[in-house]
Amino acid sequence: MKLAVWDPDEPFRRWRDALAQHAGELRLAIEVIDAAEQPDEQADFALVWRPPGEWLAGQQQLRAVFNLGAGVDAVLPLMRAHAPQVPLIRLQDAGMGRQMADYVAEAVLHAHRRMLDYAALQAHATWEPLVLAPRTGFSVGFLGLGHMGLAAARRVQGLEFPVLACTRSGTPRAGTDFDGPIYGIDRLYEFLGHCRVLVVLLPLTADTHGLLDYGALSQLPRGAHVVNAGRGALLREQDLLDLLDEQHLASATLDVFETEPLPIDHPLWSHPRVRITPHVAAHTLVGPAAAQIMRKIAALERGDDPGGIVDARLGY
């Protein structure tokens, strides 16, 4: 079988070597091709990160497409337009969960220990110990509880902060050990009212685009913090800025934005209560991803469910 790789962010040889290593373990005979160098080669499976639509349209024998990022919002419209009958399969963690847990835990501790306030005091050479909120009342809410959200929630629970979550269904996923309150998305405002820190990890869909506007964000308690490591378009940036300027919100840690890279003249860059990272909360790790992809291909070869098949109606 032929496995095509389209990933402008990683050298092809890294994918080729990792896939070959794990294919040998599973006794799968494959040929890994660089789709950018051999765009006319027909493949049985494809590993993609933001592929061009014309290339996808030219692939006539694809049995499945694996998305190499956490979210599928960029590739799903291309699949609908050019390969609607081909299953789109997402990675399930592949090393990203631990990274996301690290990112979120740092943001929660940064907010709880009032590090932005200490930075402001330092700028004025002011020595002033600050009173911290009791940890037991510093609730951290997870908007989205997929693989990465669950990994981050477990880490925050381990730090002894109370956690709660809001998901589309409002019910825990089978096999998970999350034991905090879970709200359905129809109770979003009620959920937000309990969050001292809001961690946004929802997928971007037609239903979630712009979900966190002024009305929603203003439901957060006064002095709350926002952490967005999901998708930038989930959150209305100007509404966030307005609530920060009104001092309703205390801070925001943002890894994702409506436009990426964030334009150089965007007011988020210079806001004193905003921390910015360039979409680095969780990277796809080639080794673990290659191992997972080969296991999923082996499952498909056996006729089994590989897990992670995207529901095009839901958008994730």
Side-chain angles (χ1 to χ4, degrees):
M1 71 180 72
K2 287 187 178 180
L3 182 54
V5 177
W6 189 292
D7 183 3
D9 295 341
E10 287 285 352
F12 168 71
R13 59 177 177 78
R14 294 191 64 201
W15 281 113
R16 179 198 61 207
D17 294 347
L19 290 163
Q21 173 189 345
H22 294 288
E25 295 174 3
L26 297 169
R27 295 182 173 84
L28 293 176
I30 65 166
E31 179 185 353
V32 185
I33 59 177
D34 185 344
E37 294 293 329
Q38 302 164 268
D40 296 328
E41 284 284 324
Q42 296 294 307
D44 300 288
F45 299 96
L47 284 59
V48 302
W49 178 242
R50 301 182 184 276
E54 59 271 18
W55 175 79
L56 197 57
Q59 292 292 314
Q60 300 299 314
Q61 63 186 47
L62 284 176
R63 295 170 53 193
V65 172
F66 295 89
N67 185 59
L68 295 176
V72 299
D73 48 283
V75 72
L76 190 54
L78 297 176
M79 297 291 295
R80 288 172 173 152
H82 302 296
Q85 304 306 317
V86 179
L88 176 62
I89 302 176
R90 54 184 168 79
L91 297 179
Q92 295 166 288
D93 196 338
M96 290 181 279
R98 178 178 293 180
Q99 298 174 70
M100 185 61 74
D102 289 344
Y103 187 93
V104 170
E106 188 278 339
V108 170
L109 289 170
H110 192 277
H112 180 251
R113 294 303 302 263
R114 300 182 63 177
M115 301 308 290
L116 276 180
D117 293 327
Y118 280 119
L121 292 172
Q122 179 181 340
H124 295 92
T126 301
W127 184 279
E128 181 185 345
L130 300 174
V131 176
L132 302 183
R135 188 171 296 217
T136 53
F138 204 76
S139 298
V140 181
F142 288 83
L143 184 53
L145 200 63
H147 284 275
M148 287 195 288
L150 186 59
R154 286 170 174 159
R155 180 72 63 80
V156 172
Q157 280 183 313
L159 295 172
E160 300 181 358
F161 291 99
V163 298
L164 61 156
C166 181
T167 68
R168 182 181 60 84
S169 67
T171 57
R173 231 175 44 243
T176 63
D177 57 358
F178 182 84
D179 58 4
I182 301 181
Y183 296 74
I185 199 70
D186 57 330
R187 298 171 64 195
L188 174 64
Y189 279 23
E190 181 183 354
F191 161 77
L192 292 171
H194 296 291
C195 300
R196 290 294 302 274
V197 180
L198 172 66
V199 179
V200 185
L201 289 171
L202 279 178
L204 179 62
T205 69
D207 292 332
T208 62
H209 193 286
L211 179 68
L212 295 174
D213 57 11
Y214 189 96
L217 292 170
S218 63
Q219 303 304 308
L220 291 165
R222 189 172 188 84
H225 307 261
V226 174
V227 180
N228 188 9
R231 285 291 183 266
L234 296 167
L235 183 151
R236 299 292 187 191
E237 291 169 354
Q238 187 56 56
D239 292 346
L240 173 69
L241 283 164
D242 289 345
L243 286 161
L244 287 166
D245 289 341
E246 294 165 14
Q247 297 183 13
H248 183 86
L249 296 178
S251 78
T253 297
L254 306 175
D255 187 55
V256 290
F257 305 89
E258 292 184 65
T259 301
E260 294 184 3
L262 186 65
I264 194 169
D265 58 348
H266 199 291
L268 284 170
W269 280 115
S270 57
H271 198 285
R273 306 301 295 182
V274 174
R275 296 195 302 157
I276 288 173
T277 53
H279 205 145
V280 295
H283 282 301
T284 300
L285 301 179
V286 171
Q292 183 178 143
I293 288 165
M294 297 315 298
R295 288 195 300 269
K296 289 179 181 291
I297 289 177
L300 291 168
E301 291 287 281
R302 296 191 304 267
D304 296 337
D305 180 2
I309 296 177
V310 173
D311 186 330
R313 297 168 302 167
L314 297 177
Y316 58 91

